Amino acid sequence: MGTVARPSSYMATISHSISASRKTLFPNTANLSLEHKEASWMWLKSSSNISSRQPFFQVFKSGSRKFEKAVVRAASAANDENPLPGLPIDLRGKRAFIAGVADDNGYGWAIAKSLAAAGAEILVGTWVPALNIFESSLRRGKFDESRILPDGSLMEITKVYPLDAVYDCPEDVPEDVKTNKRYTGSSNWTVKEVAESVKKDFGSIDILVHSLANGPEVSKPLLETSRNGYLAALSASSYSFVSLLKHFAPIMNPGGASISLTYIASERIIPGYGGGMSSAKAALESDTRVLAFEAGRKHKIRVNTISAGPLRSRAAKAIGFIDMMIDYSLANAPLQKELSAEEVGNAAAFLASPLSSAITGAVVYVDNGLNAMGVGVDSPIFENLDIPKDK
């Protein structure tokens, strides 16, 4: 789970501010680059705004095979005097609150970067026990390389708030948590208090991102999961989204967007993803549809969730078999490449933008197409079939 720094602490975390960088942003909305063994390049430019500037490429190895990662990077519009052709993702003037950012290698961070690249102002909520380390890393520049945006500037986080989304209001916090040394020095970190602090500091937001999940018994099979472990997984991973939207919706501008992150285990069997987490993700997707109706009718807010493929993040490593899941995806997904956090971030930027103004209540799969597969094609059963494979 994540939260953020104290509501009174503004983060001076950049040497190049977004407001300054907006004056010189690229006249293109996306950056696509591929690198091959022969280092041959083909630049593609069209009305779809694919740019050849600042190539971004990484090669990942899985066993004896080499997979290439092609990343499309979101970028905001140049300026009013130099309008973009085509359909740019332009979030200038929008403000986003991303709940669940505690380091620089998860989906929450990637979503923040893509929203910032499109021009949005970024506020984050960081889990209270991780707050000091996160703020310290920002101040000391440990995340500077990860903060680089497509135009070369650094992502600015306007403010970091402490947050523990398991608790809706101060009355819900048990005494042992209040007195826990990991919470010492932080205040106003329940969902209700954070929403009130954001309202006091900024008045309103346009985008709400839920990047939170926790299952204390995730390594246990469902049959061995305790009631407390099961309910804890649902509380932290799905009801927290309901609570966030409940308290933030009143300060969200009409036309705003809310996004959460889910996983294919909500609808398919993923052995090892236990402790009630698969149930929590199923609940999150069901809630997304109901909240899309309720928040849409009452607040004119869109609600969607992204079903993201496996990522080698610090949080995912806690499950214990993330490397196997990534290898499985590489071998069986229609697109044989490792999923990048940026690709999920860019999908979130689209869902937060006016380009998706008619999309709500949807589960959007960003997993190289793995969700579409009915069988694992790496099975020996299919060895005699002529199935195309990456070399």
Side-chain angles (χ1 to χ4, degrees), residues 135-311:
E135 287 189 308
S136 175
S137 296
L138 281 172
R139 286 193 301 266
R140 295 165 57 189
K142 293 184 68 175
F143 297 153
D144 282 0
E145 184 176 352
S146 300
R147 289 168 51 216
I148 298 175
L149 298 176
D151 70 337
S153 67
L154 300 184
M155 174 177 67
E156 177 183 6
I157 297 177
T158 303
K159 192 167 182 179
V160 180
Y161 293 84
L163 170 68
D164 193 329
V166 167
Y167 305 107
D168 299 328
C169 59
E171 293 75 24
D172 294 339
V173 183
E175 193 61 33
D176 63 324
V177 174
K178 292 179 182 177
T179 58
N180 190 304
K181 63 181 181 180
R182 297 193 300 171
Y183 287 75
T184 302
S186 296
S187 60
N188 301 321
W189 42 260
T190 64
V191 175
K192 179 181 179 181
E193 291 173 303
V194 173
E196 290 173 346
S197 296
V198 172
K199 179 180 180 180
K200 179 180 178 181
D201 295 338
F202 298 98
S204 65
I205 64 171
D206 303 278
I207 302 162
L208 176 65
V209 178
H210 175 276
S211 181
L212 304 167
N214 184 49
E217 299 181 16
V218 65
S219 60
K220 292 183 178 181
L222 188 57
L223 280 174
E224 298 176 14
T225 300
S226 70
R227 182 182 297 272
N228 287 339
Y230 185 94
L231 295 177
L234 265 71
S235 174
S237 308
S238 54
Y239 185 77
S240 56
F241 181 52
V242 177
S243 180
L244 279 168
L245 192 55
K246 172 184 176 180
H247 290 94
F248 275 88
I251 66 168
M252 292 182 70
N253 294 316
S258 183
I259 303 164
S260 65
L261 291 167
T262 185
Y263 183 48
I264 192 65
S266 63
E267 53 185 287
R268 300 286 188 271
I269 300 168
I270 307 293
Y273 193 75
M277 282 303 300
S278 58
S279 307
K281 293 303 185 181
L284 181 65
E285 293 179 15
S286 178
D287 292 343
T288 294
R289 291 183 283 271
V290 177
L291 292 172
F293 173 77
E294 294 182 358
R297 291 296 183 95
K298 187 174 182 179
H299 300 286
K300 294 182 172 59
I301 295 169
R302 295 181 295 108
V303 183
N304 294 293
T305 188
I306 295 174
S307 184
L311 177 72

Side-chain angles (χ1 to χ4, degrees), residues 70 72 107 110-111 259-264 267 285 305-311 329 333-335 337-351 362-372:
V72 179
Y107 284 137
I111 291 172
I259 303 164
S260 65
L261 291 167
T262 185
Y263 183 48
I264 192 65
E267 53 185 287
E285 293 179 15
T305 188
I306 295 174
S307 184
L311 177 72
S329 180
L335 300 178
K337 62 181 183 64
E338 185 163 338
L339 181 71
S340 76
E342 272 188 285
E343 290 170 308
V344 172
N346 291 343
F350 164 72
L351 289 174
V363 177
V364 178
Y365 297 94
V366 184
D367 61 357
N368 289 323
L370 186 62
N371 72 89

